[in-house]
DNA sequence: TTTAATTGTAGTC
DNA sequence: GACTACAATTAAA
């Protein structure tokens, strides 16, 4: 229970970046939710308690786009464009990776190892997972790592750290969890700093899930930066065209969000559908990538 | 816009 | 094992 108390303490201003996202999140929420009666920047600023100019600046610094441009970047039209051009690159690319091995997957150089639940249960029963909370451009990030590589990445709103932790530990109940910020910290820098994406040393991740989920995730890893695919595209890619619904479920179960670019999967009509850690965050990621590209 | 068809998971019995 | 509810869907009426 002591640990609990520690988590529930709302960390108000962990870092500048952390609180920035909180502000940005609210802005995105407002302009996307009430797109019908498009609140002006002034209205939003007033609501949040900041001056319009200040807000404008903050937002642009964060996303690389003005709020207006950002809004446009997450519209259906834009998503459609990401989908449409260049035919079907996803389907062309063949798997050059077996179950495990290095690969140039999207723009992050990632090596992934697959582990089935059975394997996990047998071998991973006593496995230790180190975790830690770190600030990220999308709020507080919960990072989990085994000695073989990154195994989980989740997000938490401020004060909700406990929820995220529960959500992740529930997936692999047999593991031992130890808080160890020092061990997880390096991953954060690597993942959220785009300048470090191209690097000679691959990022090592460990995928834990069923066979089907693994195929889905590997498929997602092939989506290039700034592109998007539909759930049925993925379903096609793994050879089960009618399983789009199941693909959705598998995508949602992805334990390493962001690294596995689940935010690049959209519905067929271009709309952004659900997201485990909040639709707003999905929009934020997509917009963020658009801005930096 | 509502509806029916669909598939892999996880939980229950 | 079988059965059921559920999920980031989709195509069709």
């Amino acid at each position: 229970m002591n640990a609990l108390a520690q988590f529930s303490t709302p960390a108000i201003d962990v870092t500048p970046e952390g609180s920035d996202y909180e502000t940005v999140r609210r802005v995105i929420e407002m302009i996307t939710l009430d797109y019908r009666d498009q609140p002006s920047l002034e209205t939003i600023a007033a609501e949040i308690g900041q001056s319009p100019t200040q807000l404008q600046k903050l937002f642009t610094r964060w996303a690389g786009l003005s709020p207006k441009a950002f809004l446009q970047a997450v519209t259906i039209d834009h998503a459609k464009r990401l989908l449409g051009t260049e035919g079907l690159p996803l389907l062309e690319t063949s798997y050059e990776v077996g179950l495990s091995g290095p690969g140039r997957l999207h723009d992050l150089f990632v090596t992934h190892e697959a582990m089935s639940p059975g394997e996990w249960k047998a071998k991973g029963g006593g496995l230790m997972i180190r975790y830690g909370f770190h600030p990220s451009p999308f709020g507080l990030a919960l990072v989990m790592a085994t000695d073989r590589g990154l195994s989980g990445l989740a997000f938490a709103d401020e004060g909700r750290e406990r929820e995220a932790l529960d959500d992740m530990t529930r997936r692999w109940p047999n593991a031992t969890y130890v808080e160890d910020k020092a061990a997880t910290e390096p991953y954060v820098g690597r993942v959220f700093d785009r300048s470090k994406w191209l690097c000679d040393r691959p990022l090592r991740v460990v995928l834990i899930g069923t066979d089907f989920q693994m195929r889905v995730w590997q498929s997602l890893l092939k989506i290039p930066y700034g592109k998007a695919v539909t759930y049925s595209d993925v379903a096609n890619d793994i050879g089960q065209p009618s399983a789009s619904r199941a693909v959705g479920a598998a995508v949602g179960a992805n334990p390493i969000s962001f690294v596995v670019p689940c935010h690049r999967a959209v519905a067929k009509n271009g709309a952004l559908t659900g997201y485990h850690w909040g639709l707003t965050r999905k929009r934020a990621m997509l917009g963020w990538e658009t801005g930096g590209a």
Side-chain angles (χ1 to χ4, degrees):
Chain A
M1 279 308 156
N2 291 337
L4 244 169
Q6 179 188 336
F7 284 122
S8 54
T9 307
I12 299 298
D13 201 358
V14 198
T15 83
E17 279 211 10
S19 52
D20 270 7
Y21 176 72
E22 182 56 23
T23 307
V24 168
R25 186 184 66 76
R26 292 178 62 189
V27 175
I28 298 175
E29 215 164 50
M30 287 178 72
I31 60 181
T32 51
L33 243 50
D34 310 321
Y35 68 97
R36 226 163 301 244
D37 45 53
Q38 290 280 325
S40 69
L41 190 59
E42 273 174 65
T43 318
I44 298 173
E47 183 74 28
I48 294 183
Q50 285 203 32
S51 79
T53 33
Q54 202 173 21
L55 190 60
Q56 165 86 256
K57 251 192 205 156
L58 166 63
F59 194 96
T60 309
R61 169 157 42 88
W62 177 85
L65 277 73
S66 70
K68 171 124 187 188
F70 178 92
L71 179 57
Q72 206 209 328
V74 294
T75 55
I76 293 185
D77 280 348
H78 185 260
K80 273 184 180 161
R81 216 170 55 232
L82 292 183
L83 286 171
T85 52
E86 310 353 52
L88 299 169
L90 184 63
L91 303 180
E92 313 286 334
T93 325
S94 64
Y95 291 95
E96 62 205 71
V97 277
L99 259 197
S100 59
R104 184 81 192 337
L105 305 163
H106 67 288
D107 307 79
L108 240 183
F109 190 24
V110 177
T111 322
H112 64 287
E113 252 177 77
M115 212 184 273
S116 70
E119 224 178 333
W120 169 260
K121 204 169 184 183
K123 291 199 285 187
L127 201 56
M128 193 197 333
I129 293 187
R130 284 177 277 276
Y131 68 87
F133 288 96
H134 303 272
S136 84
F138 306 104
L140 214 49
L142 169 58
V143 180
M144 294 189 151
T146 68
D147 46 3
R148 305 171 72 177
L150 183 67
S151 66
L153 176 57
F155 294 98
D157 288 323
E158 301 195 8
R160 295 291 175 80
E161 293 88 346
R162 184 73 203 175
E163 273 176 38
L165 187 59
D166 279 346
D167 186 58
M168 293 306 279
T169 54
R170 212 177 307 124
R171 298 174 190 228
W172 314 302
N174 284 331
T176 313
Y177 294 90
V178 182
E179 178 161 23
D180 184 352
K181 276 194 165 181
T184 52
E185 198 277 328
Y187 288 107
V188 182
R190 182 67 198 283
V191 169
F192 293 110
D193 184 347
R194 252 194 314 249
S195 65
K196 293 188 183 141
W197 280 18
L198 296 168
C199 173
D200 48 355
R201 279 238 327 268
L203 174 71
R204 301 177 54 191
V205 303
V206 182
L207 261 30
I208 303 165
T210 66
D211 184 59
F212 180 80
Q213 288 169 337
M214 226 79 88
R215 297 210 308 277
V216 171
W217 298 338
Q218 287 177 355
S219 200
L220 286 179
L221 282 171
K222 294 190 299 190
I223 308 174
Y225 186 88
K227 274 273 185 55
V229 296
T230 67
Y231 294 102
S232 62
D233 280 342
V234 176
N236 263 310
D237 190 51
I238 62 176
Q240 299 179 44
S242 57
S244 55
R245 188 81 190 268
V247 166
V251 173
N254 150 43
I256 318 182
S257 66
F258 193 71
V259 174
V260 175
C262 47
H263 50 285
R264 293 184 194 150
V266 300
K268 193 135 198 181
N269 63 7
L272 260 55
T273 36
Y275 185 64
H276 189 83
W277 283 285
L279 204 48
T280 303
R281 210 183 304 265
K282 185 172 181 176
R283 289 201 188 90
M285 289 177 177
L286 222 42
W288 186 71
E289 289 198 347
T290 306

